[in-house]
Amino acid sequence: ICEPIIILFPQPQPPASLTNNHHNCNTTYNNTTMARRLSIPKRLATEARQALLVPSGMDAVHVGVPFDSTALSEMEQLKVTKVYVMANKSSKPMVENFVKTLDEKGVLAAPINCDVSMGGAEDGLLKACNEAVSVNADCVLTIGGGAVQDAGKFVRLWLSVATAAADEIDGEKKATVQRILAAQNKDPMPPLPPQICCPNSFAMAELTHVAGLVTRDNVKSGASHPNMMPTVVIFDTTLSRGLPDWVRFGTALRGIEHAIGAICHPKATDDIRARALQGLELVNKGLKGMVQNPDSEEAQVNCYLGGWMAIRALNTGCYPSIAHFIQNQYSARFNVHQGACSGILSARILHHHREESSLYQKSISQALGMEDNGDREQQSLPSAPQLVSDLVVTLPGVAKDHADAKVDEEMLRDFAEYMYNQHGEKLNKLSPKSFCNAEEFFEMLTLPIASLAE
C-alpha cells in the first residue's frame, strides 16, 4: 500500500520478575529492552516521532500496510493458538479469504462473528463474550469500526474472568453487562488475552483503553482499565473500500471532535493542546482530500494519523470532553451514529462556550481555516463554530441537523431534562461554560445553525 518505515520506541525496563499482563501467555520480561513498534508512511516520519507515540501497554501500530500478512506475523509473535475473529457486516466480504487462511492454519477458534451492532448493543456483545469463552480463545482479532473494536476489549475482559463467574446457566458461564463491567475493578487484574485491531474507518476506539456499550434500555455505559489497551493496531486502507459515506466521513469527523474536545477541555495543558491542534490540521486536510476522492490513500492516512493524535491528546487527562459526553448520550438515546452526532452538535456546543474558550477557539479557527493561506490574518477567519459547520456541510452522508436523525423538538426537550437532571454536575465540570438549567441545555441543542455565523 505504501513504503512504511518502522520506528522503535524504547520502553522502560521493568523488574525481571514482572510479567507482561496484557498477554494471555504471561510472557516474562528478560534483560533486553522492550520496544514498541510504529510503521508509518515515510513522508510522515518526522512529525510521527513527536506526535504519534505508541500508547503504553500496546506492542505496535502499523499504518498503510496489508492487514492480512501483518496480522499473521503478529499472531506468530504472540504465539496465538485460537483466535476469535469479530467483524462488522460491511467488512466480512473483505476478510473472508483471510479467515479461511486462519482456518487452514488451524488457529481459527470459531466462525467469524458479525453480531456486534452500532454502538455495541448489549445482545450482540454478550453473545460474542459467551462464544469466545466456549471455544477457549487466546486472542481476539477485531475488524471494523469503533463498536467492534470496543466489543473486542469487552470480550478480552470477560475471557480473563469468566472462570470466576458466580452462576452457571445450562452448565456454562454466562456473561452479563453487570459482570463484565465489574471485571474492570478486579485487583489485581487477571491477564487479558491479546487483541489485534484492524479498523476500517476512523473512530479510533482501537487506540484507547476505554470501551463503550449500549444497554437494552438505550443507555450508554462502559469500562476502562489500562490492561484493556489493544495489543496491536493495523490500519489498511483496503478495508475501507465500499464503506458508506456516513461511516467514512462520520468517523473521520469524530477526529475533528476529539481534537476540539482536547483543545477546549478545562484540564488541558499546553502540550495536549499542541498535539490536538496538529491532529486537527491533519484530519481537516484528510477530510477535504476524501471529499475530492473518497478512496484516496493519502487522505485516509491523514485522517487516521490526525485522528490518532487527537484521541491520544484527549485521553491524556481530558477524557471525556463536554461534546464527547453529550454526543455519547445522544447517540445511545436516539440510536444515532456518533459521526452524525458530531455533525449535528459539535458546532452548537462550541458556540455555547465560545466566550469562555475564545483564546482556544481562535487556534481552532486558525487550524481549520488557514490551510495553504498562511498569510491570512487570524482575525479575518470565521469563528470556530462556523468553520466546523461549514466543514460538516461538505461531508457526504453526515447528518447536519436533528431532523436528519429523525429527532424532533419534543424528544430534544425530554433529552435536555434528562441530561441536566441526571448529569448536570458532570456537564458543568467538563464545559468551559456551565449550564444553569435544562432550558439552557435545550437552547444549546436547538440553536439554529444559521446563527453560528453571527
Side-chain angles (χ1 to χ4, degrees), residues 248-249 285-294 299 391 394-396:
R248 184 190 304 274
F249 292 98
K285 181 179 180 181
L287 265 171
K288 292 179 177 178
M290 286 201 307
V291 168
Q292 297 298 317
N293 177 9
L391 175 62
T394 70
L395 303 181

Side-chain angles (χ1 to χ4, degrees), residues 8-11 33-37 58-59:
L8 299 181
F9 297 98
Q11 298 226 64
T33 302
M34 306 294 288
R36 300 196 294 272
R37 292 168 286 124
M58 185 178 284
D59 285 359

Side-chain angles (χ1 to χ4, degrees), residues 57 91 98 148 179 184 234 264 308 314 317 320 333 419 438:
S91 296
F98 177 55
V148 172
R179 288 174 179 171
Q184 69 182 306
I234 306 164
C264 295
W308 178 4
L314 181 65
R333 189 177 187 91
M419 287 296 290

Side-chain angles (χ1 to χ4, degrees), residues 109-325:
I112 186 170
N113 178 291
C114 295
D115 294 318
V116 175
S117 58
M118 186 177 71
E122 178 178 336
D123 289 343
L125 172 62
L126 296 184
K127 181 179 178 181
C129 287
N130 289 324
E131 187 174 65
V133 169
S134 71
V135 297
N136 296 313
D138 63 0
C139 178
V140 179
L141 173 65
T142 45
I143 305 166
V148 172
Q149 307 303 342
D150 276 1
K153 300 173 195 176
F154 284 122
V155 169
R156 296 166 63 216
L157 192 60
W158 183 244
L159 279 168
S160 73
V161 299
T163 55
D167 301 324
E168 291 191 15
I169 302 174
D170 297 330
E172 296 181 4
K173 309 292 184 181
K174 295 295 183 180
T176 67
V177 169
Q178 292 75 19
R179 288 174 179 171
I180 295 171
L181 297 185
Q184 69 182 306
N185 299 317
K186 291 284 185 179
D187 187 15
M189 173 68 77
L192 270 61
Q195 179 179 3
I196 299 173
C197 301
C198 298
N200 71 343
S201 50
F202 313 98
M204 297 296 146
E206 65 277 1
L207 287 163
T208 78
H209 61 265
V210 178
L213 61 87
V214 176
T215 63
R216 291 190 182 108
D217 53 358
N218 292 329
V219 173
K220 187 77 174 183
S221 187
S224 173
H225 192 281
N227 285 18
M228 291 170 61
M229 181 68 76
T231 315
V232 175
V233 173
I234 306 164
F235 179 66
D236 180 349
T237 58
T238 62
L239 290 175
S240 69
R241 289 175 185 167
L243 275 182
D245 287 339
W246 64 270
V247 176
R248 184 190 304 274
F249 292 98
T251 57
L253 181 60
R254 294 295 288 170
I256 299 288
E257 184 67 82
H258 294 150
I260 290 172
I263 293 164
C264 295
H265 200 286
K267 293 184 178 180
T269 63
D270 289 343
D271 180 65
I272 287 171
R273 292 190 173 103
R275 291 177 183 273
L277 279 167
Q278 192 174 4
L280 181 63
E281 291 176 1
L282 204 52
V283 177
N284 184 47
K285 181 179 180 181
L287 265 171
K288 292 179 177 178
M290 286 201 307
V291 168
Q292 297 298 317
N293 177 9
D295 290 324
S296 165
E297 179 189 344
E298 181 175 348
Q300 290 184 68
V301 168
N302 283 340
C303 282
Y304 195 82
L305 294 179
W308 178 4
M309 295 177 194
I311 196 67
R312 294 312 304 163
L314 181 65
N315 278 270
T316 308
C318 297
Y319 181 87
S321 69
I322 179 63
H324 198 282
F325 179 65

Side-chain angles (χ1 to χ4, degrees), residues 414-425 427 437-438:
D414 288 344
F415 180 61
E417 293 285 347
Y418 164 78
M419 287 296 290
Y420 188 78
N421 292 336
Q422 296 296 317
H423 302 293
E425 183 178 355
L427 288 169
N437 47 50

